[in-house]
Amino acid sequence: MERAMSRSSIRPLVLLFVALVPAGGCSQVPRPQPVEVNLLVVNDFHGHIQPTRFSHRNAAGEQLSLKAGGIGALSGLLAEMRARDPELLFVGGGDLIGGSPPLSAMWADEPSLRALDLLDMRLSVVGNHELDQGRDELLRQVRGGCRSPRPDKACRFESVHPGIGFTYIAANLVDRRSGERLFPAYRIERVRGARIAFVGAVLEDVDTQLSRQSMQGLRSLDEAQAINAQVPTLLAQGVDAIVAVVHQGGATPEAYDQPDCRQLSGPVVEIVRRLDPRIKVVLSGHTHQGYLCRVGEVLVTQAGSYGRLATHLTLRIDPRRHRLLEVEARNLLVDPRRYAPIAEIDALQQAVERRSQALLGRPLARLAVREVPQAYNGAGESPMGNLIADAQLAATAHLGAQVALTNPGGIRAGLALEPGQPEVGYGQVASTQPFNNSLTIVTLSGAQLRELLEQQWQQDGFRPLQPSASFSYSWDPGRPGGRHVVADSLRIDGRPIRDGDLYRITVNSFMAGGGDRLSVLAEAAKRLDTGLNDLEALIDYLQARDRAGSPAGRSLAAGRIRRLEGGRPEE
């Protein structure tokens, strides 16, 4: 035990201190100088342990495509940056888990959470996909344990899930009854004497992104109001800078690495405009876009998705005046060819791949083409969307379905054969639809079907439903909202639809509940839950087409949606 210093022993030290103080006394003691704080931010990681294809245009205007991201390259980038700044903060912008490929999803995303812990992530805002399995499962993933609604997946990679070391934050996610927050509103980090507060908010309309069951007992408040409400408390604690971490985003035609871009649009812009003026940095997410934009004096960033980009921010802070002086940001390409994995992460990835291979490597079927892209053409149609919708109609036609429509958010990837690979594997197919939705047949009038198509145009842009081969229509971008669809262009099996007739439409269970703001589907008078799984429907379709000698898949969209310009089809 240390002995308490006696009063007599203090006096010589005081005299020594006085002797060492130069003339002028304490006025000559150096004041705190501005310090630099470095952040590395990823958003919408979605459990992508392995690299995925990333297409982008470089500064010379060339279209490039390479594999990027993955926990290995991300660990190498962090190691390189921490060699220069050991106090760098690793931060998440939400949707780190959920909507994940099977390599992570088959283990309840526990390997992805383990990897982020090994990379010393400090905090992340809650995203909508963190709540895919409901509040109880998210709390288990955070706190640890094995009591899960997914007993076939939880605690299967490791016998005990220990929970996570980083903090989830969300100022606006509250219990519907008590009003208490599910997670802390903010976290304060101290770096080189500077105190930085990170305040989180999930998108206010998160309930439109989830099933009713997933949001049971929860509600989300206005993002800007919830963040602003924390500012007085944070200032009273003497923080030097406040960073908002908002799982909501926007889009811009500018390049992902364009500094200070000015064409950002989307829901995040209105949120930023209503934030307390003392907040000068917003880390955004959700829209899977890469940008470094300015909204007034506020820097708004996003790092794409799947860990293929990471945002490096440098905050220059004056701790004496509690002021953020300036901030610089870059979006970095997480290139596996440049960044070698650290040993712990490499061992984890190899273990996950080895244990998953028996299921994920199982070959399923040949494709008609080497690649079925997820990308959408100018009309809003995707080859992968064509394939999935056709598979869902094939699975439900015997129950009376006439059309299948699937939402773009439910399509997480395209299909591509690797060099020398003759058949697409289970893991590749499962990556395209990871949500385990069932198929529902809803009955709509022709007028309701047209109204459903109009609901594709939303606040955050055009979100085109993908139709089966039995359905086609035209739309005109020059028409006003609510009238984009050309009324007499809708066809089912080549025949015009009539407003008063009834039609049976297959959708996934998320859409059937009104998800993605498709309220018409929730109002359907008749519905049939088929119990058929969307992924199994796709696998069955691919295998049936292969057995019949006519493998499925297209390189280009089939032309079921036509975009008109001035009343004429787009050339």
Side-chain angles (χ1 to χ4, degrees):
M1 180 181 295
E2 285 189 351
R3 185 179 62 171
M5 185 177 290
S6 68
R7 186 177 297 272
S8 60
S9 64
I10 295 176
R11 182 174 177 78
L13 293 177
V14 172
L15 293 174
L16 176 61
F17 173 77
V18 171
L20 292 174
V21 173
C26 293
S27 63
Q28 299 300 312
V29 175
R31 293 179 175 180
Q33 296 297 309
V35 299
E36 288 190 349
V37 176
N38 286 295
L39 315 177
L40 191 72
V41 187
V42 295
N43 57 272
D44 298 274
F45 182 68
H46 290 290
H48 275 73
I49 291 172
Q50 296 174 315
T52 55
R53 182 65 56 186
F54 178 60
S55 298
H56 66 287
R57 195 173 298 277
N58 66 11
E62 301 170 312
Q63 188 68 29
L64 303 177
S65 181
L66 75 162
K67 284 196 170 182
I71 58 174
L74 188 57
S75 73
L77 171 61
L78 276 163
E80 181 177 299
M81 297 185 70
R82 283 175 171 148
R84 298 193 295 266
D85 180 6
E87 295 188 68
L88 174 140
L89 301 175
F90 183 34
V91 174
D95 277 6
L96 303 178
I97 55 174
S100 307
L103 191 66
S104 181
M106 68 184 294
W107 309 109
D109 278 321
E110 290 167 12
S112 294
L113 292 170
R114 174 64 175 153
L116 295 171
D117 259 348
L118 288 173
L119 296 177
D120 192 26
M121 176 165 278
R122 305 310 301 272
L123 62 103
S124 175
V125 68
V126 176
N128 51 292
H129 282 288
E130 265 90 4
L131 291 162
D132 277 347
Q133 305 299 322
R135 65 186 292 172
D136 291 343
E137 176 67 348
L138 177 56
L139 290 173
R140 180 196 73 83
Q141 290 171 307
V142 169
R143 298 171 181 170
C146 297
R147 189 184 295 268
S148 168
R150 301 180 287 176
D152 59 324
K153 298 179 180 180
C155 296
R156 297 293 179 174
F157 185 70
E158 294 179 318
S159 59
V160 177
H161 174 56
I164 60 175
F166 62 92
T167 301
Y168 270 112
I169 57 175
N172 65 333
L173 185 63
V174 301
D175 183 273
R176 186 171 292 277
R177 289 186 177 180
S178 69
E180 296 292 324
R181 293 189 190 89
L182 195 63
F183 294 102
Y186 60 83
R187 179 181 171 105
I188 299 174
E189 294 285 345
R190 190 178 185 92
V191 179
R192 300 185 181 92
R195 291 163 56 82
I196 308 98
F198 296 86
V199 189
V202 68
L203 66 160
E204 180 183 8
D205 60 349
V206 64
D207 57 331
T208 68
Q209 309 293 310
L210 298 166
S211 68
R212 293 177 183 176
Q213 183 178 1
S214 296
M215 273 298 286
Q216 189 172 9
L218 296 173
R219 66 189 182 106
S220 183
L221 310 176
D222 179 272
E223 305 98 333
Q225 291 178 10
I227 291 171
N228 290 343
Q230 308 307 312
V231 172
T233 299
L234 295 172
L235 295 178
Q237 296 182 62
V239 300
D240 303 304
I242 303 174
V243 175
V245 193
V246 182
H247 192 73
Q248 181 58 285
T252 177
E254 295 149 303
Y256 73 83
D257 54 354
Q258 170 65 49
D260 296 334
C261 69
R262 294 287 178 176
Q263 299 182 50
L264 185 64
S265 62
V268 74
V269 174
E270 181 60 27
I271 296 171
V272 172
R273 286 174 176 159
R274 294 188 293 117
L275 288 178
D276 187 291
R278 284 162 288 200
I279 299 173
K280 301 298 185 185
V281 181
V282 175
L283 313 178
S284 71
H286 186 56
T287 52
H288 292 204
Q289 304 293 307
Y291 49 73
L292 307 165
C293 289
R294 296 277 176 179
V295 177
E297 296 181 352
V298 181
L299 175 66
V300 186
T301 70
Q302 191 179 161
S305 60
Y306 306 162
R308 297 174 296 197
L309 298 176
T311 307
H312 174 211
L313 298 100
T314 301
L315 282 59
R316 192 164 182 264
I317 297 171
D318 185 345
R320 180 173 61 86
R321 293 186 291 168
H322 304 296
R323 180 179 298 178
L324 175 63
L325 302 177
E326 60 182 345
V327 58
E328 297 178 359
R330 296 185 299 155
N331 270 335
L332 307 175
L333 181 63
V334 184
D335 188 347
R337 300 170 301 180
R338 175 175 177 181
Y339 303 111
I342 64 173
E344 279 185 298
I345 290 294
D346 190 40
L348 174 62
Q349 180 170 341
Q350 290 190 40
V352 176
E353 292 172 344
R354 183 174 61 252
R355 294 185 57 186
S356 306
Q357 183 59 32
L359 173 63
L360 304 187
R362 177 166 58 93
L364 291 180
R366 293 175 298 164
L367 297 176
V369 292
R370 297 298 301 177
E371 181 178 3
V372 183
Q374 181 190 9
Y376 300 88
N377 64 14
E381 191 174 343
S382 157
M384 194 65 208
N386 291 160
L387 177 59
I388 290 174
D390 287 346
Q392 293 182 358
L393 181 59
T396 54
H398 71 287
L399 297 172
Q402 299 164 274
V403 171
L405 295 170
T406 193
N407 60 319
I411 306 171
R412 309 306 287 187
L415 288 174
L417 296 170
E418 299 291 340
Q421 183 184 10
E423 298 182 28
V424 69
Y426 177 86
Q428 293 165 298
V429 178
S431 295
T432 67
Q433 294 187 102
F435 298 113
N436 199 37
N437 285 314
S438 62
L439 299 180
T440 300
I441 301 175
V442 297
T443 300
L444 301 177
S445 69
Q448 285 179 308
L449 180 54
R450 192 172 63 252
E451 184 183 354
L452 172 65
L453 295 179
E454 293 292 351
Q455 291 185 341
Q456 298 174 114
W457 285 269
Q458 302 184 4
Q459 180 188 9
D460 52 359
F462 181 40
R463 305 179 73 171
L465 300 176
Q466 300 300 294
S468 58
S470 58
F471 185 63
S472 64
Y473 73 95
S474 302
W475 64 277
D476 188 340
R479 293 188 174 203
R483 295 175 53 196
H484 287 297
V485 176
V486 180
D488 61 359
S489 70
L490 279 68
R491 299 284 189 276
I492 293 180
D493 292 327
R495 294 186 293 273
I497 72 158
R498 294 189 293 187
D499 282 359
D501 288 355
L502 298 179
Y503 302 92
R504 292 167 65 82
I505 315 297
T506 295
V507 296
N508 62 52
S509 52
F510 168 70
M511 296 169 63
D516 276 350
R517 307 183 190 92
L518 302 172
S519 59
V520 171
L521 294 173
E523 298 164 1
K526 294 182 180 180
R527 62 185 58 234
L528 171 65
D529 185 348
T530 68
L532 300 171
N533 179 271
D534 57 359
L535 175 59
E536 292 174 2
L538 178 57
I539 292 172
D540 289 347
Y541 182 72
L542 289 169
Q543 292 181 324
R545 289 283 302 267
D546 190 4
R547 287 193 301 269
S550 179
R554 306 173 57 96
S555 298
L556 299 174
R560 301 166 190 176
I561 306 173
R562 294 197 309 166
R563 172 176 171 167
L564 307 182
E565 294 292 347
R568 301 178 60 184
E570 184 182 44
E571 296 297 330

